[in-house]
Amino acid sequence: MSAAAAAGTWKLGDLEVHRIGYGAMRLTGNGMMGNSDGTPIDRDSAVRLLHSAFEQGVNHIDTAAFYFSPLRSANELINRALSSWYGDVVVVTKVGPARDPSGEWLPMARPDQLRGQVEENVRQLGRDHLDVVNLRVGPGTASIAEHFGALTELREAGLIRHLGLSGVLPEHVAEAQTIAPVVCVQNSYGLDWRRADETGLVDLCGEQGIAFVPFFAVSGLRREAAAGQERDARVHSVARAHNATPAQVRLAWTLHRGPHVLAIPGTTNPAHLAENIAAGSLRLSEEELALLDKPDKDTD
């Protein structure tokens, strides 16, 4: 059994994936805000890292055409890795936001612009269709019907296999489900940021058989920032009990939230990659989960 298989599996439509995946944002040296300081990862090293993830059982990669820095494109690196890989890997991308070639953010795409974004991902990834496309919804968006309807047309045309959502509220999921099946919802969620619990989104996804895929599950409120020293005494306590790292405890807590909850931690460090994947075999006790779920945080 591969290391990633220890976390179990879930289906994105008819595509079965291990619950520990990989997020490609950090591969380019930049985050969503377009910061690109520091030396970008070497292309060969990036391909080796992705192959290592695949060898350890990761078969779910999260990416986007707007994950790029001046010298690196996440989609290009994934394309290189997949072109020399023999196994099946589900690639999930997202559309809606966009950046111009210089990296400047553009307004949210109109419904009629989504086809171009989908085709851009198809070209960059070197595929003839996309496994899953998430509509990334901007803050304050009321209705997503026109955008999701446009993606549904592209699914019917064969460019997309399955549809998902990102950055949404329960009402967006309900609206989309009246148009076409939603196979996953990707929102910011973790031990320190549980808005999706407050809105009921995590449970709603479980009830409807939709994968809930949190991002920033490890970094939490630090978001794209580099990993800092763990300050939560509860996390340290549980980590010591399992001879695990704080990041592994945070990932394990996320996966314990429900069998439909996946994880897509990203890293450029091979050792951290192995640790993240190994977190799928970490089993927390009811007492440990209760400790981590306490509303009041004790910090060092």
Side-chain angles (χ1 to χ4, degrees):
M1 183 175 73
S2 67
T9 62
W10 190 262
K11 282 191 172 183
L12 302 174
D14 62 343
L15 303 172
E16 188 168 18
V17 298
H18 291 133
R19 292 176 63 213
I20 287 273
Y22 178 83
M25 183 178 71
R26 296 187 187 279
L27 273 183
T28 66
N30 77 295
M32 283 284 291
M33 301 310 295
N35 55 301
S36 54
D37 297 333
T39 305
I41 188 171
D42 175 77
R43 281 187 170 86
D44 290 338
S45 298
V47 170
R48 284 196 297 271
L49 184 84
L50 288 167
H51 281 176
S52 176
F54 302 156
E55 288 162 2
Q56 294 175 71
V58 170
N59 59 358
H60 168 206
I61 301 289
D62 175 78
T63 187
F66 52 82
Y67 288 173
F68 68 87
S69 61
L71 296 177
R72 296 292 180 268
S73 154
N75 280 356
E76 177 234 336
L77 295 173
I78 292 169
N79 185 341
R80 286 189 178 216
L82 290 176
S83 67
S84 53
W85 182 252
Y86 54 85
D88 293 328
V89 178
V90 174
V91 179
V92 179
T93 189
K94 58 191 75 64
V95 295
R99 295 161 65 194
D100 69 21
S102 69
E104 292 297 317
W105 285 99
L106 301 172
M108 174 75 173
R110 302 187 310 269
D112 64 317
Q113 294 174 318
L114 292 179
R115 184 184 186 100
Q117 291 192 352
V118 166
E119 291 175 343
E120 180 183 21
N121 277 279
V122 168
R123 283 192 301 272
Q124 291 178 357
L125 290 165
R127 297 192 154 193
D128 57 7
H129 74 279
L130 301 175
D131 296 326
V132 182
V133 172
N134 288 329
L135 173 64
R136 173 75 173 172
V137 178
T141 301
S143 172
I144 61 170
E146 287 190 45
H147 286 81
F148 201 73
L151 290 180
T152 299
E153 291 177 5
L154 297 177
R155 189 190 69 146
E156 293 168 351
L159 280 174
I160 302 170
R161 189 160 184 171
H162 297 296
L163 297 175
L165 298 168
S166 178
V168 293
L169 295 169
E171 50 264 38
H172 295 128
V173 178
E175 184 179 34
Q177 288 275 64
T178 66
I179 301 169
V182 175
V183 302
C184 59
V185 170
Q186 189 184 97
N187 273 38
S188 178
Y189 179 76
L191 190 59
D192 301 330
W193 180 252
R194 306 190 203 177
R195 180 76 192 280
D197 281 335
E198 297 167 8
T199 64
L201 185 59
V202 179
D203 290 336
L204 172 71
C205 287
E207 291 163 3
Q208 298 191 16
I210 299 170
F212 182 78
V213 189
F215 53 88
F216 301 142
V218 175
S219 61
L221 297 176
R222 292 194 304 271
R223 297 174 62 82
E224 294 95 351
Q229 184 176 356
E230 179 61 61
R231 297 183 57 82
D232 193 318
R234 303 168 304 168
V235 174
H236 277 297
S237 174
V238 176
R240 284 193 298 269
H242 289 272
N243 193 28
T245 68
Q248 286 178 315
V249 170
R250 287 179 174 272
L251 286 171
W253 176 87
T254 302
L255 292 171
H256 275 72
R257 186 61 183 79
H260 66 296
V261 178
L262 313 185
I264 48 170
T267 182
T268 58
N269 184 313
H272 289 166
L273 172 69
E275 289 175 359
N276 290 342
I277 295 170
S281 64
L282 185 58
R283 301 292 182 259
L284 305 181
S285 69
E286 292 297 324
E287 292 77 14
E288 288 167 335
L289 290 171
L291 172 67
L292 293 170
D293 279 332
K294 282 184 180 178
D296 294 322
K297 236 172 51 167
D298 298 321
T299 56
D300 311 293

